[in-house]
Amino acid sequence: MKKKAGINLIVIGLLASTAVVGCGSASNTGTGSSGNSGSGSSPVTLKLGMWASSPAEKQLVDEQIAAFEKANPNIKVKTQVVTGSYLQAMQPMLASHTAPDIFYVDASYAPTLESSGALMPLDSYIKKANIDTKDFAPAALKAFQWKGSTYGLPKDINTMALEYNKDLFAKAGITAPPATWDEFQKDAELLKAKHIVPLSMPIDVARYYPFVTDFGGSYYDVSANKVTFTNAANEKGLAFYMDNMKNKNIVAPKDLGGDWAGIPFSQGKVAMVAEGAWVIPFLKQSAPNLQYGIAPFPAENGKAGNMTYTVSYSMAKATKHPNAAAKLLFFMTGKEAQKMTADSGLAIPSRISQQSAFLQKKPAYKAFVDGEKEAIPYQFGTYGQNFVDAINKATEAGVLQGMAPSKVLSQAQQTLDSQANQ
């Protein structure tokens, strides 16, 4: 899943008004005791909101829904596929209480929706249905928990790994992918000596943030929902990334003719990229003869930092059928549906119990599954896209102008603070 969604202040304001209205609802309080569950004689029709990255994804969801309806004959499910900007399309529906009963939520903007009151807290429903939440990949589950409550269950996961071109490695005399970033820097010198670009990575916190955490830093304090750009501990990791950009060990995709790193990699223009599992189907289609391998994301300072990119099924606070919606949500994230996901090979199941079956069919994905063990969610509280824009623009300016990391971080903090005061 390469997509990213933006959030602006208008969105937050819109959803904040939703929260006031939503909290005034006497029927939907997250107690798990209201609404037609679809278990009686009265039929219930639910709506499921999603995007579809491919026809195969829509087919998988349709098959999962068919299995649900067979087991719950009094509940019918209609899908609502959103095209274009998913979040922008969902905003007015959430504000007007016309959103689907359950729907996809990307982890990157989940805290904003959770804090707004637009989503139903699921804890009482989880307890009532005896859902084993320990079976979910921990970082992925954590991505949908806010202030002690759970607002979604992850339907799949993704992390970063290191993809490398075997032919370009052979030209440089490299026999194995680097296991650490120190080894990467040594390999980079061998590659540059053969006029080969070592690694392509965008100037994007969504890719380089593990450098910051590996060196002991953190841009965000989860417990306080506070941005901490100017924490001095952040400077080492950012300096490591910027230094490697400066000496051309890392080159931005746009400087190699692509809008993301998979493109120059597919064209044989770069020896390595650090992308998620979404790169595999892309390479299968665009570069079927490319000889490449996939290795674990390199570690540094004894840490193997990584990021989880995940999507949940969450419930609209305004649903008229919370009990039936909970049944559908738990089925779509349950073992039967996740086994169907594993069998399809379209995504990495979020349930640990289903990942072995997935890897038997898709062994190339092992590095991505293993990456989850030390991953943190790709999300920065309620700051959303403003956070990402502030640090990305400051980092890009720092790389282009040769700024000190401390100045880059200070500039990002000032930008975010000024937006908060508007």
Side-chain angles (χ1 to χ4, degrees):
M1 179 182 61
K2 193 166 72 70
K3 68 188 294 296
K4 292 189 291 185
I7 299 175
N8 56 37
L9 293 176
I10 295 175
V11 177
I12 297 172
L14 181 64
L15 294 176
S17 64
T18 304
V20 172
V21 176
C23 289
S25 168
S27 59
N28 293 349
T29 58
T31 61
S33 61
S34 61
N36 188 345
S37 67
S39 57
S41 58
S42 302
V44 174
T45 298
L46 300 176
K47 191 177 290 184
L48 182 151
M50 60 179 290
W51 62 76
S53 59
S54 66
E57 180 178 1
K58 179 63 167 55
Q59 180 180 343
L60 171 63
V61 172
D62 286 344
E63 291 173 354
Q64 291 169 328
I65 288 174
F68 172 79
E69 290 180 331
K70 184 177 181 180
N72 299 272
N74 272 359
I75 304 177
K76 301 301 178 187
V77 183
K78 295 181 178 178
T79 56
Q80 181 172 354
V81 180
V82 175
T83 57
S85 174
Y86 182 79
L87 185 57
Q88 287 184 10
M90 291 297 294
Q91 292 159 16
M93 288 190 279
L94 288 166
S96 62
H97 294 182
T98 57
D101 298 278
I102 75 167
F103 53 93
Y104 286 7
V105 173
D106 188 278
S108 64
Y109 52 75
T112 298
L113 297 184
E114 292 159 355
S115 64
S116 76
L119 303 184
M120 180 74 82
L122 300 177
D123 304 274
S124 60
Y125 298 95
I126 288 172
K127 183 178 181 180
K128 185 177 180 181
N130 197 26
I131 302 298
D132 180 15
T133 55
K134 293 182 180 178
D135 193 28
F136 290 99
L141 178 63
K142 187 178 179 182
F144 303 105
Q145 294 176 326
W146 179 256
K147 294 188 175 180
S149 295
T150 300
Y151 289 91
L153 294 179
K155 69 182 188 69
D156 53 39
I157 62 169
N158 222 315
T159 65
M160 284 191 290
L162 187 76
E163 298 84 19
Y164 60 97
N165 184 311
K166 293 181 178 179
D167 292 334
L168 295 182
F169 265 35
K171 285 184 180 178
I174 301 171
T175 57
T180 69
W181 288 109
D182 285 340
E183 291 180 9
F184 161 76
Q185 289 182 313
K186 294 175 182 176
D187 290 343
E189 295 303 319
L190 296 174
L191 290 161
K192 288 191 294 185
K194 296 293 183 180
H195 307 289
I196 299 170
V197 177
L199 184 143
S200 185
M201 178 184 285
I203 302 175
D204 190 340
V205 69
R207 297 292 178 275
Y208 81 73
Y209 193 56
F211 293 130
V212 176
T213 59
D214 283 352
F215 281 90
S218 175
Y219 283 172
Y220 173 67
D221 182 341
V222 177
S223 61
N225 188 30
K226 180 182 178 182
V227 174
T228 55
F229 285 139
T230 54
N231 182 346
N234 294 330
E235 295 178 17
K236 282 188 177 180
L238 180 59
F240 183 86
Y241 171 69
M242 293 176 64
D243 287 346
N244 276 284
M245 293 288 293
K246 182 180 179 180
N247 61 27
K248 304 298 183 185
N249 288 345
I250 301 175
V251 176
K254 65 181 181 180
D255 294 332
L256 297 171
D259 60 1
W260 71 291
I263 292 177
F265 187 70
S266 71
Q267 297 168 342
K269 293 180 178 179
V270 60
M272 292 174 273
V273 292
E275 290 288 343
W278 50 77
V279 76
I280 295 177
F282 170 77
L283 294 175
K284 183 178 181 180
Q285 183 175 30
S286 62
N289 297 320
L290 184 70
Q291 298 298 308
Y292 73 99
I294 303 173
F297 198 71
E300 190 66 26
N301 289 328
K303 298 180 181 178
N306 208 319
M307 305 190 78
T308 288
Y309 312 93
T310 181
V311 174
S312 76
Y313 275 111
S314 294
M315 187 194 307
K317 184 74 174 290
T319 178
K320 296 178 181 177
H321 307 290
N323 287 332
K327 275 189 178 180
L328 176 60
L329 190 155
F330 295 149
F331 182 88
M332 298 300 285
T333 55
K335 291 183 179 179
E336 182 177 349
Q338 291 249 317
K339 183 178 185 304
M340 296 168 76
T341 298
D343 290 343
S344 74
L346 289 176
I348 301 172
S350 57
R351 281 187 176 269
I352 297 168
S353 60
Q354 301 304 312
Q355 292 175 351
S356 294
F358 173 78
L359 289 177
Q360 287 178 359
K361 291 181 175 292
K362 301 284 184 179
Y365 286 69
K366 187 176 187 306
F368 302 105
V369 173
D370 290 346
E372 167 72 17
K373 295 173 184 173
E374 297 194 52
I376 59 174
Y378 174 63
Q379 62 180 197
F380 301 99
T382 56
Y383 295 89
Q385 196 64 33
N386 286 342
F387 174 103
V388 174
D389 289 344
I391 188 61
N392 282 353
K393 289 179 180 176
T395 306
E396 184 169 11
V399 169
L400 294 175
Q401 300 171 23
M403 294 162 54
S406 59
K407 188 173 182 179
V408 169
L409 295 166
S410 177
Q411 183 171 306
Q413 188 74 55
Q414 289 174 10
T415 299
L416 199 63
D417 290 345
S418 66
Q419 292 170 338
N421 293 328
Q422 288 178 354

